[in-house]
Amino acid sequence: MTDPQSLEFGDPITAPFWRGASERRLVIQRCADCGHHQFYPRPFCLACQSDRVEWVQASGRGTVYSLTTVRIQISPDFTPPYRVAIVRLEEGPQLLATIVGPPCAIGDPVRAGWKDRPDAPPLIVFQPVTESG
Ligand code: ZN
């Protein structure tokens, strides 16, 4: 088995995200000129077109923007049924990820977690924030 830590995933634009994932840290881009956060990664800021984009650690907190349950086998990596959501991060960007843990609905708070994979950096998942945390 290949050591996931040794893999350089993605292209020069996305590799920092995967390096963060390898350390189970959610990193997103922030514009050094205007402060805009963005995901997925790009070589420039979507708000002001500056190329001074830097990587920062996101809080990992977000809310469910959209949610569905997948009931057919699309990928060998995911066994149906499973939930897929668009999560709006506290910093503003949205990302697509699976939801694990207890039931949740649109608008519910979620927090980032990681699903280990044998030959790749961990995959980000989100789980509902419950009374017990
Ligand atoms: Zn900007």
Side-chain angles (χ1 to χ4, degrees):
M1 183 172 85
T2 305
D3 176 6
Q5 301 293 325
S6 70
L7 296 178
E8 182 71 2
F9 261 73
D11 56 35
I13 301 297
T14 62
F17 171 80
W18 291 113
R19 280 196 296 274
S22 294
E23 300 166 356
R24 303 169 89 83
R25 296 186 307 115
L26 173 58
V27 294
I28 60 175
Q29 287 181 317
R30 179 184 177 277
C31 177
D33 285 330
C34 78
H36 174 78
H37 289 89
Q38 63 188 16
F39 187 88
Y40 56 94
R42 297 165 173 93
F44 58 89
C45 171
L46 287 178
C48 74
Q49 287 74 53
S50 168
D51 63 358
R52 296 183 60 224
V53 286
E54 58 194 14
W55 289 89
V56 296
Q57 183 156 348
S59 70
R61 292 186 294 270
T63 57
V64 177
Y65 176 80
S66 181
L67 178 69
T68 192
T69 300
V70 178
R71 300 183 191 283
I72 60 173
Q73 185 90 43
I74 296 173
S75 161
D77 297 330
F78 298 94
T79 303
Y82 59 93
R83 294 170 288 165
V84 175
I86 296 174
V87 172
R88 176 169 286 165
L89 297 175
E90 191 173 71
E91 292 83 3
Q94 297 178 345
L95 55 82
L96 186 69
T98 57
I99 300 286
V100 299
C104 67
I106 291 171
D108 283 355
V110 290
R111 62 182 161 87
W114 299 93
K115 176 186 174 189
D116 287 323
R117 299 187 291 176
D119 297 316
L123 193 64
I124 193 161
V125 299
F126 283 87
Q127 53 196 25
V129 175
T130 60
E131 298 280 324
S132 60

